[in-house]
Amino acid sequence: QVRLAESGGGSVQAGESLRLSCAASGFISATNCMSWFRQAPGKGREGVAGITTSSGNEYLADSVKGRFTISRDNTKNIMYLQMNSLKPEDSATYYCAARPGASCGSFEWTYHFLYGYWGQGTQVTVSS
């Protein structure tokens, strides 16, 4: 059973940084697609960043390129999202998601319905 647990959310001022972590357990394969999604009140779930754990191939939404970085530590089974230059529009609940045994495709990584496992979410609030 795959389990995901996010941490690292909080409240910051615009321009500041946060790092989110997603601790994963239960993976059988070395190849897994792990991604970050976010959802603001009244909006749909948006793909923020994805990474294939074996290859390290990374994908970022255009809205966060140049500000956010995704990475993973395969020895600890932890995925990170480093968020710099945060903006008020980045405020949302951030979710970690996983597709065990799959690589993240360049488009497919954004399809939330393909992910079978989700964390509980962590809140990020950015004030101006």
Side-chain angles (χ1 to χ4, degrees):
Q1 179 73 9
V2 172
R3 298 187 186 277
L4 305 171
E6 305 98 335
S7 60
S11 296
V12 296
Q13 297 289 318
E16 294 184 341
S17 300
L18 281 173
R19 188 176 80 159
L20 305 183
S21 300
C22 174
S25 62
F27 285 145
I28 296 175
S29 171
T31 299
N32 306 282
C33 174
M34 293 186 70
S35 296
W36 290 99
F37 286 79
R38 66 186 180 187
Q39 188 165 19
K43 296 189 177 181
R45 194 160 292 194
E46 173 192 18
V48 177
I51 188 166
T52 299
T53 55
S54 55
S55 65
N57 288 344
E58 305 170 6
Y59 306 92
L60 289 169
D62 288 344
S63 58
V64 305
K65 282 180 180 176
R67 301 188 297 121
F68 290 12
T69 304
I70 188 171
S71 62
R72 89 279 188 228
D73 183 337
N74 288 341
T75 63
K76 298 180 180 179
N77 278 341
I78 299 178
M79 176 178 65
Y80 301 100
L81 184 68
Q82 178 66 43
M83 305 186 294
N84 298 328
S85 303
L86 282 161
K87 303 176 180 180
E89 51 263 43
D90 295 318
S91 297
T93 301
Y94 284 70
Y95 297 92
C96 171
R99 294 175 57 200
S103 298
C104 296
S106 57
F107 295 104
E108 293 83 358
W109 75 270
T110 66
Y111 300 158
H112 63 84
F113 53 84
L114 294 178
Y115 293 80
Y117 298 93
W118 294 83
Q120 80 284 357
T122 186
Q123 181 66 38
V124 171
T125 302
V126 185
S127 51
S128 58

